[in-house]
Amino acid sequence: MEEFRRAIKPGRFALNGWDMSAAFTNIPYIYYFKNTNSSLAVDFMPSSKLRASFLKTLEEFPILVGHVKTDADGRTWVDVNARRPNMPEYLESHSTVHFCDLESAGYDWNAFPGKIATVGAFPSQGPSGTIKLANVSIIRLRENSGLILFVSASHYVVDGVGYCAFINRWAEICRWMQNGATDEMPPDRQYTFDRLAIDRCLPASRVPMSRAMTNVYDTPSYLGHFLAWISPKTRGDITNTAGWLMNAVGHVFHISSASLDALRTLIGKYAAKSQRLTDNDMLTVLIGHAIAKGMKDDATGNGSRGGFSSAIQQAVYRLFGQATDFQTMMVLDIRPRISGLAETRYAGNCVTCIPVVSKTDQIAHENIPGKDLADLCAQTRFHIRETTAELIAEYHHIINKTPAMFGHAMAKGITTVNKVVVSNQSRFSLYQNDFGNGIPAWVSPIPVFYANFASILPVHPSANGLLHAARGYSTQKHFFDTNRLVVRLEREGFSKQQSESIVTSVNAVLGESTESILSNIVTKAEQDKTLYMYKVDFAQLKSEIQMMEKTDFSMMKAENERLQGEVNKLKQKLREEITRTQAGVRLDMSLEKGRARDEQAQHEIKIRETDAKIEQEISGLRTQMESIKFSILQYMIGTITGTGALILAYLRMFK
């Protein structure tokens, strides 16, 4: 583990609008691997190799060990801390179920008694209190007959392409380890997680979005602001609760190539000759037709849904009315549409949902005419064709205007009732994951994702056609696992027809007995309805309280921003006054220094003049003193000479 920490490169990945628009979901798949080699009683996909290769793969995908963080403005980022990584959940367990049991049951979700998926459709905080960006659960089947591998990655950091890149790389490294790791390790695929990769490839020119796209992505709402304001953990708890209330149930259907060809022939009779329609166009329309018809039946009271989810649906229709438009949200990968983006090997989110709006009466028609099918397919093809690089550049600009833009799109998805989200995942490399013992025998999504979501999946290479995985609502009620009982009866010697007849009879008897017991008691639907009414009242009260708190908070925030603005203005004014005062003081000091220098110069001149005068006076005095001295000498010499002459004369006189 210490070696793994040293290999992880720390970093911070600022999530953009593409990430946050998809961040409310996970990408979960279940892989069923069959042990077809009886000699591999112990070494079938060994635990040590799976674990070691998983850690090795994480070194190339460090973003999966990051912590999701957010600030008060709604900006979200993933912080990768090598010393404290947010390690993905990695579980391994054993089961008493044999792979043949799953295979004979057609990989029915109910054929496995335990829980396979450790997380659901929406990322939320687990027991550790943090959002795990990846979850892995390995279940080894009885007698080492096979292995179930559940892998989920959060849409916070990767989309389907990034998810498949991670699984494929994991399988590649594990296969290399199982082969002895004698050769050099398979070269790194050099996937990038730099969120600026999209910005660098987008064109400079943009075209306006359609009215439907603008309504989804550029229409602010209070709910959108709220969803962007709350923390990712709280947002995950809310989406998980909402998913639980809707009581969604998954279904998987196989669509053969022959069925697709027949459908194409039917629609081709009404389509324009120059019109090119793909399998994706036709399946998108048919999925929308099935969901729209079911929702229309629910609105009119003819549907088969019941319980709490039906009460919610009826309440929504009473509050907002039945919509006349039906919205099909097509999930599109932008990599093929942006020049140079695919070459960057960007593994972050590059998907967007393009809304296609059609009339509910047209798409939900009981026996939809072939002409309407062709028109709806042409409409779908038109919107796909119009998703150009310039339109994507405009969408990129809109969803990244503010950190809260993703919340508005999420709020629109919650409040739009008549819709279906269709994701074509048929190009995902789900069946290329060979961990050293062959590709999976079956790959499926989790049983419960979220309501009104459909995905088109690839099939095993040995099969043909496509898989359509839809999340709708169960229409048939069973009181026990009928398929398991049929299998057990067949093992006891009954024929398949006898087993099915027995199971049908037992189920019918249980149904009649249950109805007889329930006739004199309050039904769960009535109880749920009453409970729902109470919850609605509490929810309304809670909403009002939250709205009041939000209003008070908004007012307080506005007042705080106003005061902050005034403080900033005062600070700016004070800085300007200080600067002005300092400039004035410097100017006065400079002037005073100049005056002092001038006065000093004048004083020096006066001093020099005084010195000159003093020198002149001294020179005059010296001259006068010399002249006086000379005069005195003259007088003295004359006097002495005279005196001497007198003395001599006197001496001669008296001799």
Side-chain angles (χ1 to χ4, degrees):
M1 194 64 183
E2 188 62 31
E3 181 181 355
F4 169 75
R5 288 192 177 95
R6 287 196 299 268
I8 288 295
K9 296 180 180 179
R12 171 175 169 146
F13 301 90
L15 304 184
N16 54 27
W18 297 89
D19 299 309
M20 299 308 298
S21 297
F24 67 96
T25 61
N26 288 322
I27 309 175
Y29 284 100
I30 304 171
Y31 302 83
Y32 298 81
F33 291 90
K34 183 178 181 180
N35 186 359
T36 57
N37 189 348
S38 58
S39 63
L40 296 176
V42 178
D43 294 331
F44 178 74
M45 299 180 66
S47 300
S48 59
K49 297 293 191 300
L50 284 174
R51 176 73 177 181
S53 57
F54 177 72
L55 295 177
K56 204 70 179 176
T57 309
L58 284 178
E59 295 177 8
E60 300 178 13
F61 290 77
I63 197 171
L64 292 177
V65 299
H67 296 265
V68 178
K69 296 185 177 181
T70 184
D71 59 16
D73 295 327
R75 285 184 290 267
T76 307
W77 67 93
V78 175
D79 182 33
V80 179
N81 189 335
R83 294 188 176 183
R84 194 175 58 86
N86 180 23
M87 292 301 296
E89 180 185 56
Y90 191 95
L91 305 175
E92 185 166 350
S93 59
H94 292 77
S95 172
T96 57
V97 176
H98 198 280
F99 192 90
C100 293
D101 298 334
L102 301 177
E103 195 173 28
S104 61
Y107 303 101
D108 186 354
W109 286 312
N110 296 322
F112 191 83
K115 182 179 180 181
I116 299 177
T118 56
V119 293
F122 311 107
S124 61
Q125 55 182 334
S128 62
T130 60
I131 295 178
K132 298 293 184 181
L133 298 180
N135 299 78
V136 176
S137 176
I138 300 172
I139 303 176
R140 296 191 176 275
L141 302 178
R142 179 165 55 91
E143 298 175 2
N144 210 16
S145 57
L147 179 145
I148 300 176
L149 174 64
F150 168 75
V151 182
S152 173
S154 173
H155 245 309
Y156 268 106
V157 291
V158 295
D159 60 3
V161 173
Y163 172 89
C164 291
F166 175 77
I167 302 298
N168 297 158
R169 183 60 174 168
W170 182 13
E172 184 181 28
I173 296 177
C174 184
R175 189 167 62 249
W176 169 72
M177 288 184 174
Q178 285 212 60
N179 292 333
T182 55
D183 301 329
E184 292 186 1
M185 181 178 171
D188 189 353
R189 302 304 180 187
Q190 298 296 326
Y191 286 95
T192 179
F193 303 96
D194 182 8
R195 265 47 192 171
L196 295 178
I198 299 178
D199 299 75
R200 288 191 285 265
C201 296
L202 285 174
S205 58
R206 306 198 303 259
V207 297
M209 295 192 305
S210 65
R211 182 178 179 182
M213 287 190 69
T214 303
N215 184 42
V216 173
Y217 298 109
D218 198 16
T219 305
S221 63
Y222 289 111
L223 179 58
H225 282 293
F226 172 73
L227 292 173
W229 173 70
I230 59 179
S231 67
K233 296 178 182 179
T234 305
R235 192 160 51 241
D237 293 339
I238 291 175
T239 51
N240 273 288
T241 302
W244 175 80
L245 291 175
M246 293 307 294
N247 192 26
V249 178
H251 305 277
V252 177
F253 308 93
H254 176 257
I255 304 173
S256 64
S257 299
S259 300
L260 288 173
D261 293 338
L263 180 62
R264 188 180 297 105
T265 302
L266 172 64
I267 296 178
K269 295 179 181 179
Y270 302 95
K273 293 182 179 180
S274 60
Q275 182 70 51
R276 172 184 171 270
L277 299 178
T278 65
D279 294 343
N280 178 70
D281 303 332
M282 297 184 296
L283 290 176
T284 299
V285 171
L286 285 183
I287 292 170
H289 164 67
I291 298 296
K293 184 180 180 302
M295 298 187 76
K296 183 179 180 181
D297 291 341
D298 285 333
T300 57
N302 297 324
S304 57
R305 288 165 52 186
F308 197 44
S309 59
S310 179
I312 293 177
Q313 190 74 19
Q314 295 295 330
V316 170
Y317 283 129
R318 290 192 185 98
L319 288 173
F320 301 104
Q322 184 179 354
T324 59
D325 293 334
F326 184 83
Q327 193 174 85
T328 302
M329 302 292 291
M330 296 184 298
V331 181
L332 295 183
D333 184 0
I334 68 169
R335 290 178 179 86
R337 295 169 170 82
I338 304 295
S339 177
L341 183 56
E343 287 74 11
T344 64
R345 303 185 70 82
Y346 177 59
N349 285 286
C350 282
V351 293
T352 181
C353 288
I354 304 299
V356 180
V357 180
S358 53
K359 294 298 180 183
T360 303
D361 291 339
Q362 181 187 24
I363 195 171
H365 195 276
E366 179 71 27
N367 296 311
I368 185 169
K371 179 66 169 59
D372 288 351
L373 277 177
D375 292 342
L376 292 170
C377 289
Q379 182 187 20
T380 302
R381 172 50 39 189
F382 170 79
H383 282 83
I384 294 176
R385 187 174 61 251
E386 289 298 308
T387 307
T388 60
E390 290 74 19
L391 178 64
I392 295 171
E394 175 66 12
Y395 171 79
H396 175 81
H397 170 71
I398 293 299
I399 62 174
N400 288 288
K401 283 198 303 186
T402 65
M405 292 305 294
F406 80 93
H408 305 316
M410 188 177 178
K412 182 61 67 173
I414 293 174
T415 56
T416 302
V417 180
N418 281 15
K419 73 173 187 306
V420 63
V421 180
V422 181
S423 175
N424 189 342
Q425 303 168 6
S426 59
R427 296 183 181 180
F428 283 9
S429 54
L430 301 178
Y431 286 96
Q432 296 180 13
N433 301 313
D434 181 2
F435 287 82
N437 300 100
I439 64 173
W442 173 254
V443 181
S444 80
I446 58 177
V448 179
F449 201 60
Y450 65 86
N452 298 348
F453 176 86
S455 55
I456 304 171
L457 305 175
V459 295
H460 194 276
S462 62
N464 68 81
L466 297 169
L467 288 179
H468 163 44
R471 278 77 176 184
Y473 298 89
S474 178
T475 58
Q476 184 178 4
K477 188 171 183 180
H478 298 288
F479 300 92
F480 57 93
D481 191 339
T482 56
N483 183 75
R484 181 181 293 181
L485 182 57
V486 168
V487 173
R488 291 182 62 181
L489 290 174
E490 289 178 355
R491 288 180 179 176
E492 296 296 329
F494 291 92
S495 66
K496 184 175 183 179
Q497 184 176 2
Q498 290 173 336
S499 301
E500 291 178 350
S501 300
I502 293 172
V503 170
T504 302
S505 301
V506 172
N507 192 45
V509 170
L510 288 176
E512 293 175 359
S513 301
T514 303
E515 290 178 1
S516 176
I517 294 173
L518 294 178
S519 61
N520 297 323
I521 62 176
V522 177
T523 64
K524 189 176 186 299
E526 294 175 352
Q527 180 184 359
D528 288 341
K529 186 176 180 180
T530 304
L531 179 62
Y532 169 72
M533 296 304 296
Y534 284 120
K535 286 188 176 182
V536 167
D537 293 337
F538 283 117
Q540 185 176 1
L541 178 60
K542 182 179 179 181
S543 176
E544 291 177 357
I545 294 174
Q546 289 177 344
M547 187 60 67
M548 291 174 63
E549 291 179 351
K550 186 176 181 181
T551 303
D552 294 340
F553 177 77
S554 299
M555 293 175 63
M556 186 184 302
K557 186 177 180 181
E559 183 67 19
N560 184 44
E561 290 176 353
R562 186 183 66 80
L563 293 175
Q564 187 69 29
E566 292 182 358
V567 169
N568 292 334
K569 289 180 181 178
L570 289 174
K571 286 182 179 179
Q572 182 66 23
K573 188 175 180 181
L574 181 60
R575 282 195 293 268
E576 292 175 355
E577 289 293 334
I578 292 173
T579 304
R580 190 180 301 111
T581 303
Q582 288 177 344
V585 170
R586 291 193 187 98
L587 180 59
D588 293 340
M589 290 178 66
S590 298
L591 294 174
E592 194 63 32
K593 286 180 180 179
R595 285 194 296 270
R597 284 195 295 268
D598 293 341
E599 291 179 358
Q600 184 179 0
Q602 292 176 1
H603 288 312
E604 289 178 354
I605 293 172
K606 290 181 179 180
I607 290 171
R608 284 195 293 269
E609 290 176 352
T610 304
D611 290 342
K613 288 180 180 181
I614 293 172
E615 291 292 335
Q616 186 177 0
E617 291 294 332
I618 292 173
S619 297
L621 290 173
R622 187 178 289 113
T623 304
Q624 290 178 2
M625 288 176 67
E626 289 293 335
S627 62
I628 292 171
K629 184 178 180 181
F630 182 71
S631 298
I632 292 172
L633 287 174
Q634 285 178 344
Y635 290 136
M636 285 179 66
I637 292 172
T639 304
I640 293 172
T641 301
T643 304
L646 288 176
I647 293 173
L648 287 175
Y650 178 78
L651 289 175
R652 285 179 182 177
M653 190 180 294
F654 290 103
K655 285 182 174 183

PDB file of all heavy atoms in Angstrom, residues 210-230:
ATOM      1  N   SER A 210     -31.253  25.410 -29.471  1.00  0.00           N
ATOM      2  CA  SER A 210     -32.682  25.367 -29.766  1.00  0.00           C
ATOM      3  C   SER A 210     -33.480  25.816 -28.546  1.00  0.00           C
ATOM      4  O   SER A 210     -32.955  25.918 -27.432  1.00  0.00           O
ATOM      5  CB  SER A 210     -33.092  23.951 -30.169  1.00  0.00           C
ATOM      6  OG  SER A 210     -32.915  23.062 -29.075  1.00  0.00           O
ATOM      7  N   ARG A 211     -34.736  26.068 -28.779  1.00  0.00           N
ATOM      8  CA  ARG A 211     -35.599  26.505 -27.673  1.00  0.00           C
ATOM      9  C   ARG A 211     -35.691  25.436 -26.597  1.00  0.00           C
ATOM     10  O   ARG A 211     -35.691  25.748 -25.397  1.00  0.00           O
ATOM     11  CB  ARG A 211     -36.986  26.829 -28.229  1.00  0.00           C
ATOM     12  CG  ARG A 211     -37.962  27.349 -27.183  1.00  0.00           C
ATOM     13  CD  ARG A 211     -39.294  27.703 -27.815  1.00  0.00           C
ATOM     14  NE  ARG A 211     -40.243  28.178 -26.828  1.00  0.00           N
ATOM     15  CZ  ARG A 211     -41.512  28.519 -27.098  1.00  0.00           C
ATOM     16  NH1 ARG A 211     -41.939  28.462 -28.352  1.00  0.00           N
ATOM     17  NH2 ARG A 211     -42.308  28.929 -26.135  1.00  0.00           N
ATOM     18  N   ALA A 212     -35.740  24.173 -27.025  1.00  0.00           N
ATOM     19  CA  ALA A 212     -35.845  23.085 -26.048  1.00  0.00           C
ATOM     20  C   ALA A 212     -34.575  22.985 -25.207  1.00  0.00           C
ATOM     21  O   ALA A 212     -34.637  22.799 -23.988  1.00  0.00           O
ATOM     22  CB  ALA A 212     -36.107  21.765 -26.768  1.00  0.00           C
ATOM     23  N   MET A 213     -33.408  23.120 -25.841  1.00  0.00           N
ATOM     24  CA  MET A 213     -32.150  23.071 -25.085  1.00  0.00           C
ATOM     25  C   MET A 213     -32.027  24.264 -24.144  1.00  0.00           C
ATOM     26  O   MET A 213     -31.576  24.127 -23.007  1.00  0.00           O
ATOM     27  CB  MET A 213     -30.963  23.037 -26.046  1.00  0.00           C
ATOM     28  CG  MET A 213     -30.763  21.723 -26.762  1.00  0.00           C
ATOM     29  SD  MET A 213     -29.187  21.656 -27.657  1.00  0.00           S
ATOM     30  CE  MET A 213     -28.010  21.605 -26.292  1.00  0.00           C
ATOM     31  N   THR A 214     -32.434  25.438 -24.620  1.00  0.00           N
ATOM     32  CA  THR A 214     -32.391  26.619 -23.764  1.00  0.00           C
ATOM     33  C   THR A 214     -33.295  26.445 -22.555  1.00  0.00           C
ATOM     34  O   THR A 214     -32.947  26.827 -21.428  1.00  0.00           O
ATOM     35  CB  THR A 214     -32.806  27.866 -24.554  1.00  0.00           C
ATOM     36  OG1 THR A 214     -31.939  28.011 -25.683  1.00  0.00           O
ATOM     37  CG2 THR A 214     -32.727  29.113 -23.700  1.00  0.00           C
ATOM     38  N   ASN A 215     -34.456  25.845 -22.772  1.00  0.00           N
ATOM     39  CA  ASN A 215     -35.396  25.620 -21.678  1.00  0.00           C
ATOM     40  C   ASN A 215     -34.818  24.671 -20.629  1.00  0.00           C
ATOM     41  O   ASN A 215     -35.078  24.812 -19.431  1.00  0.00           O
ATOM     42  CB  ASN A 215     -36.702  25.043 -22.234  1.00  0.00           C
ATOM     43  CG  ASN A 215     -37.760  24.884 -21.162  1.00  0.00           C
ATOM     44  OD1 ASN A 215     -37.940  25.759 -20.317  1.00  0.00           O
ATOM     45  ND2 ASN A 215     -38.470  23.775 -21.186  1.00  0.00           N
ATOM     46  N   VAL A 216     -33.997  23.719 -21.067  1.00  0.00           N
ATOM     47  CA  VAL A 216     -33.424  22.745 -20.140  1.00  0.00           C
ATOM     48  C   VAL A 216     -32.190  23.296 -19.437  1.00  0.00           C
ATOM     49  O   VAL A 216     -32.053  23.191 -18.213  1.00  0.00           O
ATOM     50  CB  VAL A 216     -33.079  21.437 -20.888  1.00  0.00           C
ATOM     51  CG1 VAL A 216     -32.322  20.477 -19.964  1.00  0.00           C
ATOM     52  CG2 VAL A 216     -34.334  20.773 -21.408  1.00  0.00           C
ATOM     53  N   TYR A 217     -31.288  23.928 -20.206  1.00  0.00           N
ATOM     54  CA  TYR A 217     -29.963  24.243 -19.678  1.00  0.00           C
ATOM     55  C   TYR A 217     -29.764  25.712 -19.309  1.00  0.00           C
ATOM     56  O   TYR A 217     -28.797  26.032 -18.619  1.00  0.00           O
ATOM     57  CB  TYR A 217     -28.895  23.840 -20.694  1.00  0.00           C
ATOM     58  CG  TYR A 217     -28.874  22.368 -20.978  1.00  0.00           C
ATOM     59  CD1 TYR A 217     -29.314  21.860 -22.197  1.00  0.00           C
ATOM     60  CD2 TYR A 217     -28.431  21.468 -20.017  1.00  0.00           C
ATOM     61  CE1 TYR A 217     -29.296  20.500 -22.455  1.00  0.00           C
ATOM     62  CE2 TYR A 217     -28.419  20.110 -20.260  1.00  0.00           C
ATOM     63  CZ  TYR A 217     -28.853  19.623 -21.485  1.00  0.00           C
ATOM     64  OH  TYR A 217     -28.844  18.290 -21.731  1.00  0.00           O
ATOM     65  N   ASP A 218     -30.623  26.596 -19.768  1.00  0.00           N
ATOM     66  CA  ASP A 218     -30.384  28.020 -19.513  1.00  0.00           C
ATOM     67  C   ASP A 218     -31.623  28.703 -18.944  1.00  0.00           C
ATOM     68  O   ASP A 218     -31.930  29.841 -19.286  1.00  0.00           O
ATOM     69  CB  ASP A 218     -29.944  28.711 -20.815  1.00  0.00           C
ATOM     70  CG  ASP A 218     -29.275  30.059 -20.536  1.00  0.00           C
ATOM     71  OD1 ASP A 218     -28.891  30.293 -19.378  1.00  0.00           O
ATOM     72  OD2 ASP A 218     -29.142  30.860 -21.474  1.00  0.00           O
ATOM     73  N   THR A 219     -32.350  27.980 -18.081  1.00  0.00           N
ATOM     74  CA  THR A 219     -33.526  28.541 -17.427  1.00  0.00           C
ATOM     75  C   THR A 219     -33.342  28.433 -15.917  1.00  0.00           C
ATOM     76  O   THR A 219     -33.538  27.364 -15.335  1.00  0.00           O
ATOM     77  CB  THR A 219     -34.808  27.790 -17.853  1.00  0.00           C
ATOM     78  OG1 THR A 219     -34.922  27.804 -19.277  1.00  0.00           O
ATOM     79  CG2 THR A 219     -36.038  28.455 -17.247  1.00  0.00           C
ATOM     80  N   PRO A 220     -32.892  29.519 -15.262  1.00  0.00           N
ATOM     81  CA  PRO A 220     -32.635  29.460 -13.814  1.00  0.00           C
ATOM     82  C   PRO A 220     -33.910  29.176 -13.019  1.00  0.00           C
ATOM     83  O   PRO A 220     -35.025  29.514 -13.438  1.00  0.00           O
ATOM     84  CB  PRO A 220     -32.085  30.858 -13.495  1.00  0.00           C
ATOM     85  CG  PRO A 220     -31.620  31.408 -14.799  1.00  0.00           C
ATOM     86  CD  PRO A 220     -32.534  30.820 -15.843  1.00  0.00           C
ATOM     87  N   SER A 221     -33.742  28.549 -11.870  1.00  0.00           N
ATOM     88  CA  SER A 221     -34.869  28.251 -10.980  1.00  0.00           C
ATOM     89  C   SER A 221     -34.357  28.208  -9.548  1.00  0.00           C
ATOM     90  O   SER A 221     -33.159  28.009  -9.295  1.00  0.00           O
ATOM     91  CB  SER A 221     -35.505  26.904 -11.351  1.00  0.00           C
ATOM     92  OG  SER A 221     -34.580  25.847 -11.169  1.00  0.00           O
ATOM     93  N   TYR A 222     -35.280  28.407  -8.615  1.00  0.00           N
ATOM     94  CA  TYR A 222     -34.914  28.339  -7.203  1.00  0.00           C
ATOM     95  C   TYR A 222     -34.442  26.940  -6.826  1.00  0.00           C
ATOM     96  O   TYR A 222     -33.498  26.769  -6.054  1.00  0.00           O
ATOM     97  CB  TYR A 222     -36.098  28.743  -6.325  1.00  0.00           C
ATOM     98  CG  TYR A 222     -36.424  30.206  -6.383  1.00  0.00           C
ATOM     99  CD1 TYR A 222     -37.590  30.666  -6.991  1.00  0.00           C
ATOM    100  CD2 TYR A 222     -35.557  31.150  -5.838  1.00  0.00           C
ATOM    101  CE1 TYR A 222     -37.891  32.019  -7.050  1.00  0.00           C
ATOM    102  CE2 TYR A 222     -35.837  32.499  -5.878  1.00  0.00           C
ATOM    103  CZ  TYR A 222     -37.010  32.933  -6.492  1.00  0.00           C
ATOM    104  OH  TYR A 222     -37.289  34.273  -6.552  1.00  0.00           O
ATOM    105  N   LEU A 223     -35.112  25.911  -7.391  1.00  0.00           N
ATOM    106  CA  LEU A 223     -34.710  24.537  -7.108  1.00  0.00           C
ATOM    107  C   LEU A 223     -33.304  24.275  -7.624  1.00  0.00           C
ATOM    108  O   LEU A 223     -32.506  23.596  -6.974  1.00  0.00           O
ATOM    109  CB  LEU A 223     -35.699  23.557  -7.748  1.00  0.00           C
ATOM    110  CG  LEU A 223     -35.398  22.069  -7.558  1.00  0.00           C
ATOM    111  CD1 LEU A 223     -35.332  21.710  -6.081  1.00  0.00           C
ATOM    112  CD2 LEU A 223     -36.443  21.207  -8.277  1.00  0.00           C
ATOM    113  N   GLY A 224     -32.995  24.834  -8.800  1.00  0.00           N
ATOM    114  CA  GLY A 224     -31.654  24.667  -9.349  1.00  0.00           C
ATOM    115  C   GLY A 224     -30.600  25.295  -8.464  1.00  0.00           C
ATOM    116  O   GLY A 224     -29.535  24.711  -8.221  1.00  0.00           O
ATOM    117  N   HIS A 225     -30.869  26.509  -7.968  1.00  0.00           N
ATOM    118  CA  HIS A 225     -29.930  27.160  -7.058  1.00  0.00           C
ATOM    119  C   HIS A 225     -29.753  26.329  -5.782  1.00  0.00           C
ATOM    120  O   HIS A 225     -28.634  26.214  -5.260  1.00  0.00           O
ATOM    121  CB  HIS A 225     -30.426  28.559  -6.697  1.00  0.00           C
ATOM    122  CG  HIS A 225     -30.192  29.574  -7.772  1.00  0.00           C
ATOM    123  ND1 HIS A 225     -28.919  29.979  -8.136  1.00  0.00           N
ATOM    124  CD2 HIS A 225     -31.055  30.258  -8.570  1.00  0.00           C
ATOM    125  CE1 HIS A 225     -29.008  30.877  -9.104  1.00  0.00           C
ATOM    126  NE2 HIS A 225     -30.290  31.064  -9.391  1.00  0.00           N
ATOM    127  N   PHE A 226     -30.859  25.760  -5.296  1.00  0.00           N
ATOM    128  CA  PHE A 226     -30.790  24.951  -4.080  1.00  0.00           C
ATOM    129  C   PHE A 226     -29.949  23.697  -4.308  1.00  0.00           C
ATOM    130  O   PHE A 226     -29.092  23.348  -3.483  1.00  0.00           O
ATOM    131  CB  PHE A 226     -32.207  24.571  -3.638  1.00  0.00           C
ATOM    132  CG  PHE A 226     -32.238  23.583  -2.505  1.00  0.00           C
ATOM    133  CD1 PHE A 226     -31.912  23.968  -1.214  1.00  0.00           C
ATOM    134  CD2 PHE A 226     -32.593  22.261  -2.734  1.00  0.00           C
ATOM    135  CE1 PHE A 226     -31.940  23.063  -0.170  1.00  0.00           C
ATOM    136  CE2 PHE A 226     -32.621  21.342  -1.702  1.00  0.00           C
ATOM    137  CZ  PHE A 226     -32.297  21.752  -0.418  1.00  0.00           C
ATOM    138  N   LEU A 227     -30.174  23.006  -5.435  1.00  0.00           N
ATOM    139  CA  LEU A 227     -29.426  21.786  -5.724  1.00  0.00           C
ATOM    140  C   LEU A 227     -27.938  22.065  -5.908  1.00  0.00           C
ATOM    141  O   LEU A 227     -27.095  21.226  -5.582  1.00  0.00           O
ATOM    142  CB  LEU A 227     -29.991  21.113  -6.979  1.00  0.00           C
ATOM    143  CG  LEU A 227     -31.400  20.530  -6.839  1.00  0.00           C
ATOM    144  CD1 LEU A 227     -31.912  20.059  -8.183  1.00  0.00           C
ATOM    145  CD2 LEU A 227     -31.413  19.383  -5.842  1.00  0.00           C
ATOM    146  N   ALA A 228     -27.618  23.243  -6.449  1.00  0.00           N
ATOM    147  CA  ALA A 228     -26.205  23.601  -6.621  1.00  0.00           C
ATOM    148  C   ALA A 228     -25.588  24.061  -5.311  1.00  0.00           C
ATOM    149  O   ALA A 228     -24.369  23.929  -5.121  1.00  0.00           O
ATOM    150  CB  ALA A 228     -26.067  24.695  -7.678  1.00  0.00           C
ATOM    151  N   TRP A 229     -26.412  24.593  -4.418  1.00  0.00           N
ATOM    152  CA  TRP A 229     -25.907  25.151  -3.152  1.00  0.00           C
ATOM    153  C   TRP A 229     -25.567  24.068  -2.139  1.00  0.00           C
ATOM    154  O   TRP A 229     -24.590  24.192  -1.395  1.00  0.00           O
ATOM    155  CB  TRP A 229     -26.935  26.119  -2.590  1.00  0.00           C
ATOM    156  CG  TRP A 229     -26.604  26.634  -1.221  1.00  0.00           C
ATOM    157  CD1 TRP A 229     -25.606  27.486  -0.864  1.00  0.00           C
ATOM    158  CD2 TRP A 229     -27.283  26.291   0.000  1.00  0.00           C
ATOM    159  NE1 TRP A 229     -25.614  27.711   0.489  1.00  0.00           N
ATOM    160  CE2 TRP A 229     -26.639  26.993   1.052  1.00  0.00           C
ATOM    161  CE3 TRP A 229     -28.379  25.484   0.300  1.00  0.00           C
ATOM    162  CZ2 TRP A 229     -27.046  26.891   2.367  1.00  0.00           C
ATOM    163  CZ3 TRP A 229     -28.785  25.378   1.621  1.00  0.00           C
ATOM    164  CH2 TRP A 229     -28.119  26.075   2.638  1.00  0.00           C
ATOM    165  N   ILE A 230     -26.362  22.986  -2.108  1.00  0.00           N
ATOM    166  CA  ILE A 230     -26.142  21.940  -1.110  1.00  0.00           C
ATOM    167  C   ILE A 230     -24.864  21.162  -1.451  1.00  0.00           C
ATOM    168  O   ILE A 230     -24.345  21.221  -2.561  1.00  0.00           O
ATOM    169  CB  ILE A 230     -27.347  20.983  -1.024  1.00  0.00           C
ATOM    170  CG1 ILE A 230     -27.611  20.320  -2.380  1.00  0.00           C
ATOM    171  CG2 ILE A 230     -28.574  21.724  -0.541  1.00  0.00           C
ATOM    172  CD1 ILE A 230     -28.764  19.355  -2.375  1.00  0.00           C
TER     173      ILE A 230
END
